[in-house]
mmCIF file of all heavy atoms in Angstrom:
data_model
loop_
_atom_site.group_PDB
_atom_site.id
_atom_site.type_symbol
_atom_site.label_atom_id
_atom_site.label_comp_id
_atom_site.label_asym_id
_atom_site.label_seq_id
_atom_site.Cartn_x
_atom_site.Cartn_y
_atom_site.Cartn_z
ATOM 1 N N TRP B 227 -13.175 39.470 47.263
ATOM 2 C CA TRP B 227 -13.689 40.152 46.086
ATOM 3 C C TRP B 227 -15.198 40.081 46.032
ATOM 4 O O TRP B 227 -15.804 39.241 46.680
ATOM 5 C CB TRP B 227 -13.078 39.529 44.827
ATOM 6 C CG TRP B 227 -13.638 38.180 44.464
ATOM 7 C CD1 TRP B 227 -14.570 37.920 43.510
ATOM 8 C CD2 TRP B 227 -13.303 36.897 45.047
ATOM 9 N NE1 TRP B 227 -14.837 36.556 43.457
ATOM 10 C CE2 TRP B 227 -14.070 35.911 44.377
ATOM 11 C CE3 TRP B 227 -12.430 36.491 46.048
ATOM 12 C CZ2 TRP B 227 -13.994 34.544 44.698
ATOM 13 C CZ3 TRP B 227 -12.350 35.132 46.352
ATOM 14 C CH2 TRP B 227 -13.118 34.187 45.690
ATOM 15 N N ILE B 231 -16.331 35.659 39.064
ATOM 16 C CA ILE B 231 -15.079 34.988 38.720
ATOM 17 C C ILE B 231 -14.994 34.898 37.193
ATOM 18 O O ILE B 231 -15.899 34.355 36.545
ATOM 19 C CB ILE B 231 -15.029 33.580 39.345
ATOM 20 C CG1 ILE B 231 -15.021 33.694 40.876
ATOM 21 C CG2 ILE B 231 -13.800 32.807 38.855
ATOM 22 C CD1 ILE B 231 -15.177 32.367 41.606
ATOM 23 N N CYS B 256 -16.795 22.306 45.459
ATOM 24 C CA CYS B 256 -17.213 23.699 45.652
ATOM 25 C C CYS B 256 -18.233 23.769 46.785
ATOM 26 O O CYS B 256 -19.277 23.134 46.704
ATOM 27 C CB CYS B 256 -17.824 24.241 44.362
ATOM 28 S SG CYS B 256 -18.714 25.790 44.610
ATOM 29 N N PRO B 257 -17.945 24.508 47.853
ATOM 30 C CA PRO B 257 -18.876 24.523 48.991
ATOM 31 C C PRO B 257 -20.182 25.240 48.668
ATOM 32 O O PRO B 257 -21.189 24.997 49.314
ATOM 33 C CB PRO B 257 -18.093 25.279 50.071
ATOM 34 C CG PRO B 257 -17.130 26.142 49.323
ATOM 35 C CD PRO B 257 -16.770 25.358 48.082
ATOM 36 N N GLY B 258 -20.154 26.112 47.661
ATOM 37 C CA GLY B 258 -21.377 26.824 47.285
ATOM 38 C C GLY B 258 -22.242 26.003 46.338
ATOM 39 O O GLY B 258 -23.352 26.395 46.012
ATOM 40 N N CYS B 260 -22.003 25.740 43.274
ATOM 41 C CA CYS B 260 -22.425 26.725 42.279
ATOM 42 C C CYS B 260 -21.650 26.612 40.966
ATOM 43 O O CYS B 260 -21.707 27.489 40.133
ATOM 44 C CB CYS B 260 -22.299 28.135 42.871
ATOM 45 S SG CYS B 260 -20.654 28.571 43.423
ATOM 46 N N ILE B 261 -20.915 25.502 40.790
ATOM 47 C CA ILE B 261 -20.168 25.336 39.541
ATOM 48 C C ILE B 261 -20.758 24.159 38.762
ATOM 49 O O ILE B 261 -21.126 23.137 39.342
ATOM 50 C CB ILE B 261 -18.678 25.045 39.826
ATOM 51 C CG1 ILE B 261 -18.121 26.046 40.841
ATOM 52 C CG2 ILE B 261 -17.868 25.087 38.537
ATOM 53 C CD1 ILE B 261 -16.646 25.882 41.141
ATOM 54 N N ILE B 270 -20.147 29.284 36.465
ATOM 55 C CA ILE B 270 -20.218 29.552 37.894
ATOM 56 C C ILE B 270 -21.404 30.471 38.151
ATOM 57 O O ILE B 270 -21.552 31.501 37.502
ATOM 58 C CB ILE B 270 -18.923 30.234 38.406
ATOM 59 C CG1 ILE B 270 -17.731 29.289 38.238
ATOM 60 C CG2 ILE B 270 -19.080 30.650 39.865
ATOM 61 C CD1 ILE B 270 -16.406 29.869 38.687
ATOM 62 N N CYS B 275 -21.521 31.849 45.188
ATOM 63 C CA CYS B 275 -20.110 31.620 45.516
ATOM 64 C C CYS B 275 -19.829 32.072 46.940
ATOM 65 O O CYS B 275 -20.260 33.134 47.353
ATOM 66 C CB CYS B 275 -19.231 32.375 44.527
ATOM 67 S SG CYS B 275 -17.499 32.418 45.008
ATOM 68 N N ARG B 276 -19.090 31.243 47.673
ATOM 69 C CA ARG B 276 -18.740 31.605 49.060
ATOM 70 C C ARG B 276 -17.359 32.230 49.162
ATOM 71 O O ARG B 276 -16.851 32.435 50.255
ATOM 72 C CB ARG B 276 -18.787 30.368 49.941
ATOM 73 C CG ARG B 276 -20.169 29.770 50.018
ATOM 74 C CD ARG B 276 -20.215 28.695 51.084
ATOM 75 N NE ARG B 276 -21.528 28.056 51.038
ATOM 76 C CZ ARG B 276 -21.952 27.191 51.921
ATOM 77 N NH1 ARG B 276 -21.165 26.844 52.940
ATOM 78 N NH2 ARG B 276 -23.146 26.656 51.832
ATOM 79 N N HIS B 277 -16.715 32.434 48.026
ATOM 80 C CA HIS B 277 -15.402 33.090 48.030
ATOM 81 C C HIS B 277 -14.368 32.321 48.845
ATOM 82 O O HIS B 277 -13.659 32.886 49.660
ATOM 83 C CB HIS B 277 -15.557 34.558 48.488
ATOM 84 C CG HIS B 277 -16.551 35.288 47.665
ATOM 85 N ND1 HIS B 277 -17.876 35.350 48.000
ATOM 86 C CD2 HIS B 277 -16.426 35.916 46.479
ATOM 87 C CE1 HIS B 277 -18.536 36.012 47.058
ATOM 88 N NE2 HIS B 277 -17.676 36.360 46.118
ATOM 89 N N CYS B 278 -14.313 31.000 48.567
ATOM 90 C CA CYS B 278 -13.406 30.147 49.334
ATOM 91 C C CYS B 278 -12.050 29.993 48.658
ATOM 92 O O CYS B 278 -11.089 29.568 49.284
ATOM 93 C CB CYS B 278 -14.037 28.761 49.532
ATOM 94 S SG CYS B 278 -13.847 27.656 48.117
ATOM 95 N N MET B 279 -11.964 30.283 47.341
ATOM 96 C CA MET B 279 -10.713 30.235 46.564
ATOM 97 C C MET B 279 -10.364 28.851 46.015
ATOM 98 O O MET B 279 -9.374 28.712 45.298
ATOM 99 C CB MET B 279 -9.500 30.754 47.359
ATOM 100 C CG MET B 279 -9.420 32.241 47.550
ATOM 101 S SD MET B 279 -9.247 33.234 46.039
ATOM 102 C CE MET B 279 -7.600 32.851 45.484
ATOM 103 N N HIS B 280 -11.141 27.803 46.332
ATOM 104 C CA HIS B 280 -10.727 26.475 45.870
ATOM 105 C C HIS B 280 -10.592 26.390 44.347
ATOM 106 O O HIS B 280 -9.546 26.000 43.831
ATOM 107 C CB HIS B 280 -11.698 25.394 46.364
ATOM 108 C CG HIS B 280 -11.403 24.037 45.806
ATOM 109 N ND1 HIS B 280 -10.360 23.277 46.270
ATOM 110 C CD2 HIS B 280 -11.974 23.316 44.789
ATOM 111 C CE1 HIS B 280 -10.304 22.149 45.573
ATOM 112 N NE2 HIS B 280 -11.274 22.148 44.676
ATOM 113 N N CYS B 281 -11.645 26.780 43.638
ATOM 114 C CA CYS B 281 -11.604 26.620 42.175
ATOM 115 C C CYS B 281 -10.518 27.499 41.570
ATOM 116 O O CYS B 281 -9.826 27.095 40.630
ATOM 117 C CB CYS B 281 -12.971 26.931 41.557
ATOM 118 S SG CYS B 281 -13.569 28.615 41.878
ATOM 119 N N ILE B 282 -10.342 28.678 42.118
ATOM 120 C CA ILE B 282 -9.358 29.621 41.575
ATOM 121 C C ILE B 282 -7.937 29.102 41.791
ATOM 122 O O ILE B 282 -7.084 29.152 40.902
ATOM 123 C CB ILE B 282 -9.550 31.007 42.234
ATOM 124 C CG1 ILE B 282 -10.929 31.571 41.841
ATOM 125 C CG2 ILE B 282 -8.442 31.968 41.838
ATOM 126 C CD1 ILE B 282 -11.417 32.692 42.726
HETATM 127 S S1 SF4 C 502 -14.527 30.249 45.034
HETATM 128 FE FE1 SF4 C 502 -15.198 28.439 46.166
HETATM 129 S S2 SF4 C 502 -17.404 28.781 46.481
HETATM 130 FE FE2 SF4 C 502 -16.743 30.180 44.867
HETATM 131 S S3 SF4 C 502 -17.143 29.073 42.992
HETATM 132 FE FE3 SF4 C 502 -14.999 28.680 43.548
HETATM 133 S S4 SF4 C 502 -15.097 26.764 44.698
HETATM 134 FE FE4 SF4 C 502 -17.178 27.557 44.634
#
Side-chain angles (χ1 to χ4, degrees):
Chain B
W227 74 101
I231 296 172
C256 166
C260 58
I261 312 183
I270 296 179
C275 169
R276 297 190 185 188
H277 305 91
C278 82
M279 286 297 290
H280 174 76
C281 60
I282 295 162

